[in-house]
Structure formats: C-alpha cells, structure tokens
Amino acid sequence: MKVLVIGSGGREHVLAWKLKQSPQVTQVFCAPGNAGTHEDVTNVDIPATDSERLAQFARAEGVDLTVVGPEAPLVAGVVDVFKAQGLKVFGPSKAAAQLEGSKAFAKDIMRQANVPTAEYRAFRTMEDAIQFINEREEVPLVVKADGLAAGKGVSVCETRAEAIAAVKSMMQDRAFGTAGDRIVIEEKLVGQEVSILALVDGRTIITLEAAQDHKAAYDGDTGPNTGGMGAYSPAPFATPELMDTVITQILIPTVHTLKRNNAEFRGVLYAGLMLTSQGPKVLEFNVRLGDPEAQPILMRLKTDLFPVLSAAAEGKLKELPDLEWDERTAVCVVMASEGYPGPLSTGHPIRGLADAAELPDTKVFHAGTALQGGAVVNTGGRVLGVTALGDDVSDAKRKAYEAVKCIRWQGAWCRKDISDKARQS
Ligand code: AMP
Ligand code: GLY
C-alpha cells in the first residue's frame, strides 16, 4: 500500500514515521515534508494547500490512502477534492472542518449540542465589540480571532484596556488578516488544560490516550501563546471518569450535532479542554491531530496505524479491535528558533542530530527544518520535537532533555519544564 501524508510539521513527521512501520505499507510520501521526513520517507515537492496537484499526484502514483495533517488544507476543502476523484482520504470534509476554521461556528455547534464551554459573544464590528467590553462588569476576558491563526489568534486579557487593544489589533490592524473579520469574546476559564483526541468515522468514536500540551512560550506557563512548546502522554488528569464525561457530554453530542448540520465528521476530533471546578469545558475544537500532542501519543501507540486510519476513512472503525498502547510515558520537548512566536532567526545549521539519534527510546521529529547544501537548517518557529519514552514521567523527561542537550544551532531554545504539570495531579 502507498500512503501520502500532507503537511510539513512535527505531526506529519510522526505520522509518516509511524505509517512506514506498517507491514502493509510499501511506500510513504510526504508533501511537502521537511528534512526529517526526507530522511525517513519520500518527500514530494507540492505545497500542502495545493489540493488539485496533490490529488493529481495521488492518482498518478496509485496512492491508497492520503492522511491530511494540518488544518489549513482541511478548512480549504482538500478532502472534498480527493473524494470527488474517488481517492481514499483521512480527514474531515470542508463543512465539518469549520469546527476549527470558525470559532463562531464551533461555539454555535456547542450551544446546539449543549456542550460545556466558556460563555461568549461573537462580533462582526469593532464598535460592538468595544461597547461590549466597556459594559461588561467582569474581566478578565479572552479575545479570539474567528478564523485560523496558527494558534496565535487568542489573547487572554486581564484588563478592559488589554481586551480593547486585542480587538483593535485583530479588527483594525488586521493582525491575522481575514481571520479577524469576526471575533469571539469569552469569559476566562481557569484550571488544567488537557487535550482529548478521538478517531471518528461519522458514527463510531474511539478516544486516543490523553496528552497535555504547553501552550505558553516560557517556563511556568508565562509569555505569549504558541502552537505548543511540548507535550506528554498519558496525562494524569485524564482519569477514566473524566474520559467518560468527555465522551458522553462533549464528543458524542458534538458528532451528532455536526451530522444534523449536514457536516458529518470523519477524522480526528480534538477537544482542547479546561478542567474547571465545574467540570471540563471546551476551549477549542481542532479537526486534526494536535502538534506536538501527536508526537508523544503516536510514539505510545503499539497498534499498526495504517489499518486504523484506513478504517476511519471508510466508516469502518467499529470493526477494529481495541487500540494497544505502550504503558510508558512519552515526553516531547519542542526546540524553537530565536524569536518564536515573533519574527524568527532562521537558516542556521543544526548540529548534533546524529548524536541524538543514537539515544535509546528517543526520536527527534522535525518540524521547521529543510536541507540546504547538504546541511539541515532551521526554517520555522518550532524546529524539532525531541521525544522520548521512559518508565515514568521523570524518566521520559530526563531522556528527552538528554537528547535536547546533544542538539544545537544559533539561537535554539526550549522550555525546561515540559511535563512538570504531571506532578500537580
Ligand atoms: P484556543 O485556540 O481557543 O484553544 O486558545 C488557545 C489557548 O488560549 C488555549 O489553549 C488556552 O491556553 C487559552 N484560552 C483560550 N480560551 C480560553 C479561555 N476561555 N479561558 C482561558 N484561557 C483560554
Ligand atoms: N498543540 C495545539 C494544537 O495542535 O492545536
């Protein structure tokens, strides 16, 4: 079987790496991929958003299954393009991907489905939004751009002045382009954040092992929001009781409500939760695997991933045996470029990758890397996801940071406290 993975981040590297281990799979392509996928599978020089050329490639190569990693092509409708040409593809349709593509749409679905989430209002004009902020008694408030903004379109604002500045940056200065045509303002929730991901084939829902991301840039959860600076799995906060609550109160009603809205969901449904004193509430839905959550989760998956994703794409998840998981803990530490999540310093050669590759139970997944004149250089904000399996959280953390120590480039940095949240459980 031939598989095509669409995307170029750490999530796509772990997907390609895991799919290649399947005895059923003869070749894995990654479009466009990065320096890490180049080493493990075959890169294809087509941008992740060029649906027509990707479908053309899949047809010409006889690709049996395409797996879409990132949100942008999903929201743009790549799955619809593939399906129209009779190609098997894992991921939600354009209509269902709106769950991530529009925060106002997601909030509306949650309201219809009675899913617990932060109280909110959606706005189309700056004047209305500012009036609401001035009249509202309670701060803090969270201001969100409606559309996609690579995890950066959310401002948690402690004061009215901060909230108004965030609205102006989105709606007047257009910091996130058309993603800020509409905004959502909601109450701030407090608690631990946990990511619960589930495979969905329209009917059947199979949860994956839970992970915890670290969204803030710096140690101790300080600094600006990022796409995620590291993750570990399993997450001790995700008790069996919590998983039951999430399935019955969040995942099932959401999948049913999407179907009623003519947006049947197939793919990975990702619920970003805040565990509040009143129970879990949804911060956001994503319509794909999390990045970096996919790295520790898939490193722990023992089951062959190819038949699983294939069954999900065909609506046959019900026929699968239970997924098998490595009982050990996986920790993924993201190494980032100088400047991230702001303007970046890129193009620096990365050294020490071969030394890190020697370490047991460790895999360095690439994200923002490329090959330049034979050298691996940093090209993006999040550059590497250094992931290790250990007997417990401290062992996995120790191994991951040991690998981090082998690797260097000009300006490289990472959080030093990835997985420490597990100790607060
Ligand atoms: P989102 O893209 O909506 O998940 O937001 C990104 C991050 O912003 C989340 O992972 C949280 O850390 C934070 N955030 C979003 N909404 C809220 C909220 N209502 N209260 C507190 N923090 C939030
Ligand atoms: N790590 C958060 C996300 O993938 O959206």
Side-chain angles (χ1 to χ4, degrees):
M1 296 284 175
K2 292 184 182 181
V3 182
L4 168 64
V5 175
I6 297 178
S8 61
R11 163 186 49 216
E12 288 74 37
H13 190 185
V14 70
L15 276 167
W17 171 82
K18 180 78 187 151
L19 286 161
K20 197 186 157 195
Q21 292 166 20
S22 169
Q24 295 182 43
V25 171
T26 50
Q27 193 164 19
V28 177
F29 299 101
C30 191
N34 55 40
T37 57
H38 171 77
E39 198 171 301
D40 287 337
V41 301
T42 308
N43 279 355
V44 180
D45 190 16
I46 304 176
T49 44
D50 195 339
S51 306
E52 294 297 339
R53 272 182 69 205
L54 289 165
Q56 206 176 11
F57 173 82
R59 266 204 329 269
E61 273 294 337
V63 167
D64 299 282
L65 174 69
T66 297
V67 179
V68 188
E71 59 276 19
L74 291 168
V75 170
V78 66
V79 166
D80 308 60
V81 171
F82 271 63
K83 281 195 175 154
Q85 302 188 27
L87 292 161
K88 202 201 292 181
V89 57
F90 175 80
S93 64
K94 182 174 180 168
Q98 283 305 302
L99 196 63
E100 178 166 1
S102 164
K103 293 198 190 285
F105 176 87
K107 284 292 198 180
D108 185 38
I109 293 290
M110 285 189 258
R111 188 177 272 173
Q112 288 181 43
N114 210 9
V115 163
T117 184
E119 262 182 67
Y120 77 104
R121 292 272 307 272
F123 298 95
R124 283 186 187 278
T125 71
M126 194 167 77
E127 293 68 32
D128 290 347
I130 291 176
Q131 190 182 350
F132 170 79
I133 293 168
N134 281 326
E135 286 172 2
R136 196 183 146 96
E137 282 184 12
E138 292 140 56
V139 279
L141 287 170
V142 182
V143 180
K144 301 183 172 187
D146 180 59
L148 295 182
K152 297 172 202 158
V154 173
S155 292
V156 180
C157 306
E158 298 302 325
T159 63
R160 281 197 183 80
E162 270 179 60
I164 291 170
V167 168
K168 284 189 174 161
S169 129
M170 289 175 197
M171 299 193 104
Q172 185 170 293
D173 307 340
R174 322 274 304 154
F176 306 107
T178 55
D181 282 351
R182 255 211 285 186
I183 59 165
V184 165
I185 302 184
E186 62 183 39
E187 61 172 328
K188 181 183 170 182
L189 301 176
V190 282
Q192 285 288 342
E193 278 189 66
V194 180
S195 311
I196 307 290
L197 286 71
L199 294 163
V200 179
D201 69 354
R203 279 171 298 223
T204 305
I205 297 172
I206 299 179
T207 49
L208 304 179
E209 289 276 281
Q212 192 170 30
D213 191 9
H214 296 63
K215 289 263 171 70
Y218 312 129
D219 285 16
D221 281 349
T222 55
N225 250 320
T226 70
M229 295 302 297
Y232 70 98
S233 169
F237 305 98
T239 58
E241 298 75 43
L242 178 79
M243 293 303 278
D244 280 347
T245 308
V246 171
I247 292 168
T248 53
Q249 289 184 16
I250 296 172
L251 299 177
I252 293 175
T254 301
V255 168
H256 282 168
T257 305
L258 282 168
K259 201 176 229 170
R260 274 208 309 280
N261 283 262
N262 295 321
E264 182 184 88
F265 196 94
R266 281 191 186 188
V268 172
L269 179 57
Y270 164 140
L273 305 176
M274 189 73 92
L275 306 184
T276 73
S277 53
Q278 297 151 15
K281 293 192 179 183
V282 175
L283 289 172
E284 64 167 342
F285 278 121
N286 293 323
V287 298
R288 43 153 181 97
L289 284 165
D291 188 344
E293 292 95 322
Q295 289 85 317
I297 292 176
L298 293 182
M299 200 144 158
R300 291 188 54 226
L301 180 67
K302 285 183 169 168
T303 309
D304 182 352
L305 186 61
F306 174 76
V308 173
L309 298 187
S310 225
E314 290 171 343
K316 293 182 181 165
L317 275 181
K318 211 175 173 176
E319 296 170 20
L320 284 181
D322 286 350
L323 298 178
E324 280 184 57
W325 297 96
D326 193 321
E327 291 299 320
R328 291 177 293 171
T329 298
V331 171
C332 169
V333 176
V334 170
M335 295 182 75
S337 293
E338 187 177 348
Y340 181 72
L344 305 173
S345 168
T346 57
H348 306 293
I350 302 174
R351 304 189 201 287
L353 289 168
D355 296 333
E358 299 281 304
L359 299 173
D361 301 323
T362 304
K363 174 75 185 170
V364 177
F365 295 108
H366 288 225
T369 68
L371 272 178
Q372 255 173 38
V376 177
V377 301
N378 67 321
T379 53
R382 295 188 294 168
V383 179
L384 301 171
V386 181
T387 312
L389 281 166
D391 295 332
D392 53 22
V393 184
S394 352
D395 188 41
K397 180 185 177 191
R398 185 185 55 74
K399 282 166 145 169
Y401 280 102
E402 206 169 289
V404 165
K405 259 194 253 153
C406 300
I407 303 168
R408 63 213 166 269
W409 72 87
Q410 193 184 312
W413 63 279
C414 65
R415 273 181 67 159
K416 301 286 187 289
D417 62 348
I418 300 302
S419 79
D420 288 356
K421 289 169 196 268
R423 295 204 204 120
Q424 297 161 27
S425 64

